Amino acid sequence: MFFSKSDESKDKVINEVLSNDSFNNLNLDLINLDLKVETGDKFEVHFYGPEDEKPSVELKDDTLQIKEPKLDHQHGKFWRKGFVEVNIVSQSDIMVT
């Protein structure tokens, strides 16, 4: 086998409701996650994606805080299917400090 058990769990996709709490303010700390906001007659934070990218959701006072987990962020474009992985990183993707 080419990948360890932790690599397999990275690919696990989940589809779950993270919160149904009502709120008046929303605090987002997101870099890589896509966000879609819809109007409706109920409050719901729904996540669909890789299990290791599942954000934390916490209600403090009247503010719902959504924060994505800290992951090792790599620049460039990445594609993975099964045990084949392609990484493309250009000079402009590399940050020099």
Side-chain angles (χ1 to χ4, degrees):
M1 191 150 185
F2 291 99
F3 295 103
S4 68
K5 190 120 177 122
S6 63
D7 288 333
E8 290 173 5
S9 66
K10 276 187 186 180
D11 295 336
K12 183 178 178 188
V13 174
I14 60 172
N15 184 8
E16 67 181 67
V17 174
L18 303 179
S19 174
N20 286 318
D21 296 326
S22 62
F23 58 91
N24 285 321
N25 302 301
L26 183 61
N27 184 359
L28 301 170
D29 184 3
L30 307 174
I31 295 174
N32 294 320
L33 294 179
D34 293 333
L35 175 68
K36 180 179 177 182
V37 178
E38 296 180 1
T39 60
D41 58 357
K42 65 180 181 176
F43 290 87
E44 182 177 280
V45 177
H46 182 260
F47 176 75
Y48 176 81
E51 185 174 38
D52 65 331
E53 293 180 15
K54 178 180 164 182
S56 63
V57 178
E58 184 177 1
L59 184 64
K60 285 187 178 179
D61 299 320
D62 205 17
T63 301
L64 190 69
Q65 297 180 350
I66 302 174
K67 185 175 184 178
E68 77 179 332
K70 299 293 182 204
L71 298 174
D72 290 336
H73 179 68
Q74 299 178 6
H75 299 284
K77 296 174 178 58
F78 303 92
W79 175 83
R80 183 176 180 182
K81 180 73 175 178
F83 61 88
V84 177
E85 183 174 327
V86 177
N87 302 319
I88 301 171
V89 180
S90 68
Q91 188 65 29
S92 63
D93 292 325
I94 300 171
M95 298 172 67
V96 178
T97 58

